[in-house]
C-alpha cells in the first residue's frame, strides 16, 4: 500500500559490488517508477561487542546476528575508545569523562587523527546526509565530546550535532562522540539504531566493502578519499580530483574505483520530494515566495479585502484623467487632419 515499506531479499551468486533497480507500475509521475540501488555482497562481517558497552549495543548486535547481517567473531571490534586496542573498530566515547585522556592515548596509538575534547551538554538534533539522514532522523544528542581533528589526514564526517562533528570515520574506524546510552543520545533506543549499526559495520569497517553515496542529478557530493575514478553506467571512466564531485545528470549507478578495484558506489535517483504533490502549508508557501512582506491567505473574502486595502496605495484617478486627455487630443488631431485633406 502507499507509504508502506517493502523488504526485498535477494541472494545473487556473485560476490563484490553489484547494482540493480526496483520498478513500480507506471503512473502519471514517471520519475519515481524506477529506483536504483547498489550493494556490496560478501560474507557477514564478524563483530565482537565489548561487554562493557551495555544492553543496547548487545541487543542490536544480537538482532543483526539473528538476521544474518553479521556474525560473532573478532574481525571488527565495537568498543569504548579508551579500551580499544586494534582496528577496524567502531569506537564509542566513554561514559566517564575521566576516561577521556585514556581514550585519546588509545586513539593516538591506533593512528586515528581525532581526539576527544571538551564535554558538551545540552540537547541538539543530529544531522546527516544520504542514507544516514533517514536513519538519524529524530535522533537527539544531550551529552557529547567535542571531536578535534589532529593533522591533515583524510576523514569523513558522517553526522553533526549543533553544527559540530559528532560521528566521523576514516580508514578502519568510525568514532562516535557520545556514549551509547539514553542519557547521552536517543540513538540506541530508536528502531533505526539496528540498521544504522549494520550500515556502519558493513560499509565502513568491512574489508573490501565501501560506502554507498546517494545523490540527486546535478547535486554535489563529497568524494570518498580512496576513490581515484568514477566508472559510469556505460563503462567509461572519469578521473576524480578535489574533495567533491558533481552527480551525473542521469539516474543510475556509478562505481568509485581505486585502480581496478571498486571501492564504493554513487547511486543517482531523482529526489523523492519531486513526486510529492501535497499542498504547501502556509510556512512552506511563504518560504517559496520572494518579498519583504509575504502574507498567505486561504479565505477568498479576506484575499479580496487584502488586495484592495493594501497599503501604501497610490491613487489611480490622476493617471486615468491624463490618459483621457491624451486620447481626446489625439482624436482631435486625427479629425482635423482628415478635414484638411478633404479640403
Amino acid at each position: 500500500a502507499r507509504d508502506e515499506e517493502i523488504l526485498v531479499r535477494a541472494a545473487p551468486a556473485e560476490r563484490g559490488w553489484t547494482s540493480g533497480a526496483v520498478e513500480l507500475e507506471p503512473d502519471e509521475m514517471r520519475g519515481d517508477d524506477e529506483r536504483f540501488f547498489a550493494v556490496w555482497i560478501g560474507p557477514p562481517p564478524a563483530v565482537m561487542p565489548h561487554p562493557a558497552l551495555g544492553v543496547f549495543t548487545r541487543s542490536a548486535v544480537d538482532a543483526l546476528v539473528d538476521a544474518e547481517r553479521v556474525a560473532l567473531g573478532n574481525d571488527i571490534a565495537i568498543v569504548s575508545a579508551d579500551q580499544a586496542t586494534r582496528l577496524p573498530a567502531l569506537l564509542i566515547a566513554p561514559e566517564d569523562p575521566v576516561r577521556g585522556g585514556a581514550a585519546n592515548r588509545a586513539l593516538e596509538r591506533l593512528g586515528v587523527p581525532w581526539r576527544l575534547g571538551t564535554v558538551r551538554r545540552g540537547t541538539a538534533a543530529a544531522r546527516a546526509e544520504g542514507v544516514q539522514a533517514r536513519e538519524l532522523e529524530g535522533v537527539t544528542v544531550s551529552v557529547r565530546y567535542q571531536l578535534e581533528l589532529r593533522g591533515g589526514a583524510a576523514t569523513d564526517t558522517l553526522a553533526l550535532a549543533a553544527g559540530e562533528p559528532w560521528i566521523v570515520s576514516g580508514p578502519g574506524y568510525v568514532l562516535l562522540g557520545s556514549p551509547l546510552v539514553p542519557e547521552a543520545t536517543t540513538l540506541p533506543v530508536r528502531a533505526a539504531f539496528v540498521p544504522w549499526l549494520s550500515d556502519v559495520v558493513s560499509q565502513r569497517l568491512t574489508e573490501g566493502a565501501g560506502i554507498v553515496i546517494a545523490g540527486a542529478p546535478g547535486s554535489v557530493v563529497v568524494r570518498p578519499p580512496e576513490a581515484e575514478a568514477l566508472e559510469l553506467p556505460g563503462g567509461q571512466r572519469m578521473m576524480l580530483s578535489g574533495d567533491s564531485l558533481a552527480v551525473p545528470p542521469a539516474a543510475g549507478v556509478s562505481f568509485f574505483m581505486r585502480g581496478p578495484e571498486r571501492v564504493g558506489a554513487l547511486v543517482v535517483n531523482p529526489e523523492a520530494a519531486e513526486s510529492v504533490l501535497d499542498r504547501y502549508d502556509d510556512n512552506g508557501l511563504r518560504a517559496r515566495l520572494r518579498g519583504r512582506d509575504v502574507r498567505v491567505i486561504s479565505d477568498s473574502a479576506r484575499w479580496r479585502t487584502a488586495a484592495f486595502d493594501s497599503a501604501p496605495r497610490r491613487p489611480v484617478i490622476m493617471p486615468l484623467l491624463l490618459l483621457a486627455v491624451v486620447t481626446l487630443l489625439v482624436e482631435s488631431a486625427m479629425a482635423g487632419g482628415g478635414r484638411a485633406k478633404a479640403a
Side-chain angles (χ1 to χ4, degrees):
R2 179 180 176 180
D3 295 332
E4 282 188 341
E5 291 188 357
I6 300 174
L7 178 62
V8 180
R9 294 189 179 273
E14 300 85 359
R15 290 294 182 261
W17 281 101
T18 190
S19 61
V22 177
E23 297 184 8
L24 302 177
E25 293 184 6
D27 57 14
E28 64 276 8
M29 300 297 294
R30 300 302 301 275
D32 62 354
D33 293 344
E34 186 177 30
R35 303 292 292 185
F36 292 91
F37 66 88
V39 292
W40 184 84
I41 301 173
V47 303
M48 181 56 65
H50 195 279
L53 285 180
V55 64
F56 297 104
T57 303
R58 292 198 303 271
S59 298
V61 171
D62 290 342
L64 293 174
V65 170
D66 292 340
E68 299 182 353
R69 300 296 301 272
V70 303
L72 293 178
N74 294 317
D75 292 345
I76 301 171
I78 304 177
V79 62
S80 179
D82 59 302
Q83 297 173 321
T85 58
R86 60 183 176 85
L87 297 179
L90 170 58
L91 305 168
I92 314 298
E95 288 189 58
D96 188 352
V98 175
R99 304 297 301 167
N104 285 335
R105 290 190 292 273
L107 294 174
E108 184 176 8
R109 286 195 303 271
L110 295 173
V112 176
W114 292 90
R115 301 292 181 268
L116 304 182
T118 305
V119 176
R120 298 191 181 277
R121 303 180 187 273
T123 302
R127 293 285 182 267
E129 296 182 356
V131 175
Q132 292 216 339
R134 182 177 67 253
E135 295 172 347
L136 297 179
E137 183 177 1
V139 170
T140 58
V141 183
S142 52
V143 178
R144 61 184 175 86
Y145 290 81
Q146 184 180 16
L147 299 182
E148 302 172 348
L149 181 62
R150 303 289 176 86
T155 66
D156 192 5
T157 299
L158 305 184
L160 303 172
E164 297 181 338
W166 181 52
I167 306 176
V168 296
S169 73
Y173 73 89
V174 172
L175 174 62
L176 176 64
S178 295
L180 277 176
V181 294
E183 294 78 15
T185 173
T186 59
L187 176 59
V189 296
R190 297 185 66 88
F193 178 49
V194 175
W196 175 85
L197 183 61
S198 175
D199 288 344
V200 165
V201 170
S202 61
Q203 294 190 23
R204 298 282 175 173
L205 301 176
T206 299
E207 184 179 359
I211 63 171
V212 177
I213 297 179
S219 63
V220 176
V221 297
V222 177
R223 178 179 71 91
E226 67 274 13
E228 301 172 351
L230 187 67
E231 182 183 66
L232 301 174
Q236 308 95 322
R237 281 202 179 194
M238 180 177 70
M239 299 307 297
L240 301 178
S241 61
D243 297 329
S244 62
L245 73 149
V247 175
V253 177
S254 301
F255 291 101
F256 294 111
M257 307 296 295
R258 182 178 58 205
E261 180 184 6
R262 290 176 172 177
V263 293
L266 174 63
V267 179
V268 183
N269 284 303
E271 293 186 14
E274 292 184 2
S275 299
V276 178
L277 302 182
D278 297 339
R279 293 170 59 94
Y280 281 116
D281 58 19
D282 289 356
N283 291 332
L285 180 57
R286 187 181 298 111
R288 304 289 294 186
L289 301 176
R290 298 180 181 273
R292 291 183 304 173
D293 182 19
V294 178
R295 288 182 292 168
V296 179
I297 300 173
S298 303
D299 181 77
S300 59
R302 290 181 56 205
W303 182 86
R304 286 193 296 269
T305 301
F308 288 103
D309 291 347
S310 298
R313 184 172 65 228
R314 298 178 61 183
V316 297
I317 185 64
M318 288 304 297
L320 290 177
L321 289 175
L322 290 174
L323 179 60
V325 171
V326 170
T327 302
L328 289 173
L329 291 174
V330 171
E331 184 179 358
S332 299
M334 292 178 64
R339 287 196 299 271
K341 185 176 180 180

